[in-house]
Amino acid sequence: AAGVIQSPRHLIKEKRETATLKCYPIPRHDTVYWYQQGPGQDPQFLISFYEKMQSDKGSIPDRFSAQQFSDYHSELNMSSLELGDSALYFCASSSRIITGGNYGYTFGSGTRLTVV
Amino acid sequence: AQSVTQLDSQVPVFEEAPVELRCNYSSSVSVYLFWYVQYPNQGLQLLLKYLSGSTLVESINGFEAEFNKRQTSFHLRKPSVHISDTAEYFCAVRYDRGSTLGRLYFGRGTQLTVWP
């Protein structure tokens, strides 16, 4: 079965650079969520999109932005990177229709961002 | 405040021993509860979930969890662990009402280490 695809798997950037992470949800899933997991930390919610509109916003820095495109894939753009942005970034997708509103979550394998 | 507490950061056990990973949540509204497993350098995999109905839920690999509304707990148990169960386990909750609908709140995780 198709899963949530994230790219790239690994990314190394220097401080003050910009990074773009991509997420391709499971086909027919209409909602995408982004989470950040720092070293030894629990995943923290960043932002979510439903039908290409932002549906919820968590502890996402102003330097970060995200959007969901017409094909439902999503991109997380991070600018002016800081050492503290080094983390594993997860994307998850779900469908309000398929799961009848109970939001079955499926996570991707994550993108490991290292800022040096 | 809404939060998830995993009472044990590390649980070492010997192979074939029983194990319980504890999870408590705080909420004044209905919740959906999840357990995720994360193997080293991998993504989050859904282990089991409670959405409604029977309070005892089971996974395909022998884990089970029981939703206890009165004690606001969702402890994870396995009667006999294997070395391959060594991983980080995250308890997560999603609230059924309010603007944070869809977002998952994670506990800090419990590292289960199974020794031969």
Side-chain angles (χ1 to χ4, degrees):
Chain A
V4 177
I5 306 298
Q6 290 188 247
S7 68
R9 290 295 306 274
H10 302 273
L11 189 59
I12 299 175
K13 291 285 186 178
E14 296 186 354
K15 285 195 304 183
R16 293 180 288 278
E17 283 192 316
T18 298
T20 297
L21 309 185
K22 297 185 178 182
C23 169
Y24 297 86
I26 290 174
R28 297 194 295 154
H29 276 197
D30 49 35
T31 307
V32 169
Y33 310 83
W34 286 97
Y35 288 81
Q36 177 193 56
Q37 185 181 25
Q41 302 293 317
D42 54 298
Q44 294 288 320
F45 173 75
L46 292 178
I47 196 168
S48 64
F49 294 88
Y50 169 65
E51 286 290 344
K52 292 153 281 185
M53 298 288 290
Q54 181 180 308
S55 56
D56 192 10
K57 187 175 181 180
S59 52
I60 183 170
D62 293 339
R63 298 177 289 106
F64 293 7
S65 65
Q67 58 181 325
Q68 186 179 32
F69 295 86
S70 57
D71 63 351
Y72 293 98
H73 94 273
S74 178
E75 294 183 5
L76 177 65
N77 298 292
M78 299 176 282
S79 62
S80 303
L81 288 170
E82 302 173 355
L83 295 179
D85 297 328
S86 296
L88 195 54
Y89 290 84
F90 288 110
C91 172
S93 75
S94 69
S95 168
R96 298 191 181 193
I97 299 174
I98 295 176
T99 56
N102 284 333
Y103 302 6
Y105 263 73
T106 302
F107 280 88
S109 296
T111 293
R112 184 169 296 281
L113 172 67
T114 303
V115 181
V116 297
Chain B
Q2 300 168 331
S3 68
V4 181
T5 304
Q6 291 183 243
L7 297 165
D8 306 294
S9 60
Q10 299 197 34
V11 174
V13 294
F14 286 108
E15 195 174 18
E16 298 183 7
V19 71
E20 178 181 79
L21 307 184
R22 296 178 291 172
C23 173
N24 288 88
Y25 67 93
S26 62
S27 175
S28 57
V29 300
S30 298
V31 297
Y32 302 124
L33 295 155
F34 306 83
W35 275 100
Y36 284 88
V37 58
Q38 185 177 33
Y39 298 99
N41 299 313
Q42 294 190 26
L44 295 164
Q45 299 176 32
L46 179 64
L47 192 58
L48 44 76
K49 60 186 177 184
Y50 169 77
L51 301 180
S52 64
S54 172
T55 57
L56 183 65
V57 292
E58 299 177 352
S59 72
I60 58 173
N61 56 354
F63 283 95
E64 64 178 31
E66 186 163 17
F67 169 56
N68 188 319
K69 186 176 181 179
R70 189 164 59 89
Q71 297 182 356
T72 61
S73 67
F74 191 56
H75 301 331
L76 181 69
R77 301 184 183 93
K78 189 170 185 180
S80 177
V81 295
H82 302 288
I83 291 178
S84 60
D85 292 324
T86 295
E88 187 89 19
Y89 292 79
F90 289 96
C91 179
V93 61
R94 181 167 64 80
Y95 299 96
D96 192 26
R97 204 169 298 167
S99 63
T100 59
L101 189 64
R103 182 194 307 192
L104 287 178
Y105 294 85
F106 287 88
R108 288 195 167 271
T110 297
Q111 173 64 44
L112 173 64
T113 303
V114 182
W115 299 99

